[in-house]
Amino acid sequence: MGEENKVTLYGMWASPFVRRVEIALKIKGIPYEYVEEDLRNKSQLLLQYNPVHKKVPVLVHNGKPIAESLVILEYIEETWKNGPKILPEDPYERAKVRFWASFIQQQLFDSIVSAAKSSGEAHEKAMKELFEKLTVFEEGMKDFFPSGTPHFEDENIGFLDIILCSLFGYRKAQEEANGLKILDPERHPLVYSWVTALNEVPVVKETLPPHDKMVALIQFLRRNAPH
Amino acid sequence: MTSSTMEEEVKLLGAWPSPYSYRVLWALSLKDIKYEYVEEDLSNKSDLLLKYNPVYKKIPVLVHGGKPISESLVILEYMEETWPQNPLLPQDPYDRAMARFWAKFGEDKSPIFMAIFITVGEEQEKAAKEAKEQLTILEEQALGEKRFFGGDKIGLTDIVLGWLAGWLDVIEEAAGLKLLEAETFPRLHAWVQRFKEVPGIKEQLPDRDEMLVYYKQKREMLIASVTP
């Protein structure tokens, strides 16, 4: 690959944030080099490219680094104008997408992490909070899917689809590793059917972390979590 | 659903002295957009607010042609796309990414600054130390030698960090400590003075004396609730 338009993604196989960027790059058909980082032994390049947070993902385009997955997604959308669009054209529709992306990021992600890390009474409380937030999300999503069932026959997925994949990507591994069931088809039928439909889309399937490896990682982290 | 046009009615639901509210006021001012302002009493939220932001029930909410948008960063991006005059973001995608990166940084780190206001004693000292680390990053990496975070003119990042210019010194006084000292943070200090003089911002800064009364009261209530 020539230096002109060279794209490198620094990531980690289990990171949902890295996965977002991978999906976006694949949707747009952007060729890229992937560099796997060992987060316990970060490379000099990573520390140089993301000195503020020292985290993955980092996208490097023509030698210039960008960090923070949602910032990277907006950058990808604005830079590669040919190919499928990730965000809607209309500013109000875009605002709705960004609002719910922020909700998923700030409300749902944290709730799932709390639920996964806690036990006993704290866990019960965390699960209750998660389900309440998922209900708010379910209600909000009715606006996006007025007919009720998300379809992706044309395989055109967008910003919210990408972020949802990254949120629920570990669902099956979490269930197997520690019995955590975060998505209930009875309680949240729309979100459930949405995630199920997304999991059939090729670019989503391709980027799903290997199941057994994920189960092992979750179990390892749980055993070694500080008490 | 039809798109709103630039000419349709604009309403802002806000609350004094919320810095989030002011972010939108500044953008409205800088882009010279006509709007109706509705001051919300946050202890007695209006039906309008509950209708327009059922998810969070918070201000600010921008209502354009009857359609509500919540979350200040989402509002700012919407405003930029709908009223492109006096842009808050640069043209180049990489520069835009940098602006958004630092806006997010500012947003993510604000609890660290709030911590100095809601803690006392050793906890407050620890919070102050952390806050100064973030200021160092802003001073050296975000601002550097530039006049504004946005470059020669103010932009999205300046607006998101604007609370450092209008609110931090009041919060410092109410909380009884100093973070942003001119000797330690000369560039940030200079930026604060510059920011407050920008036409559009200058006329839209909350009254310092009124804010001091407000934050001192809050601080007293907080101390009363944490002191055994």
Side-chain angles (χ1 to χ4, degrees):
Chain A
M1 202 184 298
E3 279 311 308
E4 207 61 22
N5 259 327
K6 184 172 160 74
V7 178
T8 311
L9 173 61
Y10 291 80
M12 187 262 174
W13 66 270
S15 163
F17 307 105
V18 171
R19 190 170 180 218
R20 291 171 179 176
V21 180
E22 281 200 286
I23 294 177
L25 289 168
K26 286 181 194 282
I27 290 172
K28 295 268 194 190
I30 300 163
Y32 65 99
E33 182 195 336
Y34 176 79
V35 175
E36 177 75 16
E37 282 285 331
D38 177 356
L39 297 180
R40 292 161 302 181
N41 186 19
K42 293 172 182 178
S43 74
Q44 265 309 108
L45 270 180
L46 178 63
L47 299 177
Q48 174 194 322
Y49 284 142
N50 190 1
V52 175
H53 301 296
K54 307 175 178 44
K55 286 182 175 178
V56 291
V58 177
L59 190 80
V60 183
H61 182 209
N62 293 331
K64 297 197 284 194
I66 303 140
E68 295 295 318
S69 63
L70 297 185
V71 175
I72 296 171
L73 253 50
E74 298 256 12
Y75 175 81
I76 289 172
E77 178 76 338
E78 287 175 356
T79 306
W80 285 274
K81 296 201 206 298
N82 300 324
K85 297 249 171 286
I86 299 174
L87 283 166
E89 294 285 337
D90 175 65
Y92 189 68
E93 294 300 313
R94 287 160 82 95
K96 287 197 308 195
V97 165
R98 286 180 177 130
F99 174 87
W100 287 108
S102 165
F103 183 89
I104 294 174
Q105 180 77 0
Q106 286 167 16
Q107 304 294 324
L108 295 182
F109 248 101
D110 285 352
S111 283
I112 291 178
V113 169
S114 291
K117 284 186 171 169
S118 54
S119 49
E121 215 180 284
H123 176 78
E124 294 296 313
K125 187 161 174 271
M127 287 301 286
K128 182 167 178 283
E129 201 184 282
L130 172 62
F131 284 144
E132 279 166 7
K133 288 182 178 177
L134 278 170
T135 301
V136 172
F137 185 64
E138 173 97 2
E139 283 308 304
M141 290 306 100
K142 290 180 178 166
D143 184 27
F144 285 90
F145 302 107
S147 63
T149 325
H151 293 291
F152 300 101
E153 282 98 26
D154 58 359
E155 288 161 19
N156 260 357
I157 66 174
F159 207 77
L160 273 187
D161 303 297
I162 295 172
I163 295 166
L164 205 71
C165 288
S166 71
L167 182 68
F168 288 114
Y170 301 144
R171 203 164 51 90
K172 299 223 165 95
Q174 280 282 16
E175 255 181 66
E176 192 178 311
N178 51 30
L180 188 71
K181 271 187 95 90
I182 55 178
L183 202 52
D184 180 353
E186 310 261 313
R187 271 184 224 254
H188 306 110
L190 178 57
V191 179
Y192 186 85
S193 65
W194 184 5
V195 171
T196 308
L198 277 175
N199 284 337
E200 292 308 306
V201 175
V203 73
V204 174
K205 277 207 256 212
E206 270 166 51
T207 53
L208 189 65
H211 178 81
D212 292 339
K213 208 172 162 193
M214 199 66 215
V215 171
L217 178 66
I218 294 171
Q219 288 170 334
F220 171 80
L221 289 173
R222 210 175 154 86
R223 276 198 304 272
N224 292 283
H227 294 287
Chain B
M1 196 187 293
T2 56
S3 308
S4 296
T5 61
M6 289 168 74
E7 292 77 43
E8 281 178 276
E9 192 188 86
V10 177
K11 199 185 288 212
L12 171 64
L13 276 61
W16 185 90
S18 161
Y20 300 99
S21 210
Y22 273 85
R23 287 175 182 174
V24 184
L25 283 169
W26 291 331
L28 287 165
S29 182
L30 291 165
K31 289 181 178 282
D32 201 20
I33 298 164
K34 289 197 193 22
Y35 63 98
E36 181 200 334
Y37 179 75
V38 177
E39 174 75 20
E40 281 286 329
D41 174 0
L42 298 180
S43 61
N44 185 20
K45 293 176 180 177
S46 72
D47 286 339
L48 210 62
L49 176 59
L50 300 178
K51 169 179 128 176
Y52 283 143
N53 190 358
V55 173
Y56 294 114
K57 307 174 177 53
K58 285 182 171 177
I59 55 90
V61 180
L62 188 79
V63 189
H64 184 205
K67 295 190 285 197
I69 303 128
S70 308
E71 295 294 287
S72 62
L73 287 179
V74 176
I75 294 171
L76 291 172
E77 294 263 10
Y78 174 80
M79 289 177 71
E80 184 69 354
E81 289 167 2
T82 307
W83 295 280
Q85 71 270 22
N86 299 335
L88 302 173
L89 283 170
Q91 287 297 325
D92 175 68
Y94 187 76
D95 296 335
R96 290 164 78 91
M98 287 304 101
R100 288 179 174 130
F101 174 87
W102 288 113
K104 183 172 195 295
F105 178 89
E107 202 54 351
D108 290 347
K109 302 299 176 183
S110 55
I112 296 177
F113 290 91
M114 277 310 108
I116 62 149
F117 188 73
I118 62 175
T119 53
V120 294
E122 222 179 274
E123 254 198 280
Q124 194 194 43
E125 275 169 40
K126 185 163 171 270
K129 184 168 175 285
E130 262 197 85
K132 283 188 185 171
E133 285 167 15
Q134 309 316 314
L135 287 176
T136 305
I137 295 173
L138 286 174
E139 167 100 359
E140 293 173 4
Q141 299 187 48
L143 186 60
E145 299 302 325
K146 305 196 297 280
R147 281 174 56 76
F148 296 102
F149 289 96
D152 291 324
K153 293 189 313 183
I154 72 169
L156 181 77
T157 313
D158 299 273
I159 290 180
V160 173
L161 291 171
W163 76 273
L164 287 171
W167 281 251
L168 182 60
D169 75 316
V170 173
I171 286 170
E172 285 169 342
E173 194 175 326
L177 46 57
K178 198 98 183 83
L179 292 180
L180 212 174
E181 286 163 306
E183 308 83 62
T184 331
F185 303 105
R187 296 173 191 152
L188 276 179
H189 185 80
W191 170 81
V192 164
Q193 312 317 312
R194 227 175 270 137
F195 181 82
K196 294 202 280 197
E197 286 301 310
V198 172
I201 304 287
K202 182 158 75 173
E203 306 83 357
Q204 292 273 16
L205 287 167
D207 183 87
R208 196 186 189 279
D209 295 332
E210 282 174 28
M211 275 216 290
L212 192 56
V213 169
Y214 176 87
Y215 283 109
K216 272 190 167 162
Q217 268 174 11
K218 285 217 150 202
R219 175 78 180 163
E220 271 161 30
M221 276 162 48
L222 270 156
I223 296 192
S225 68
V226 299
T227 317

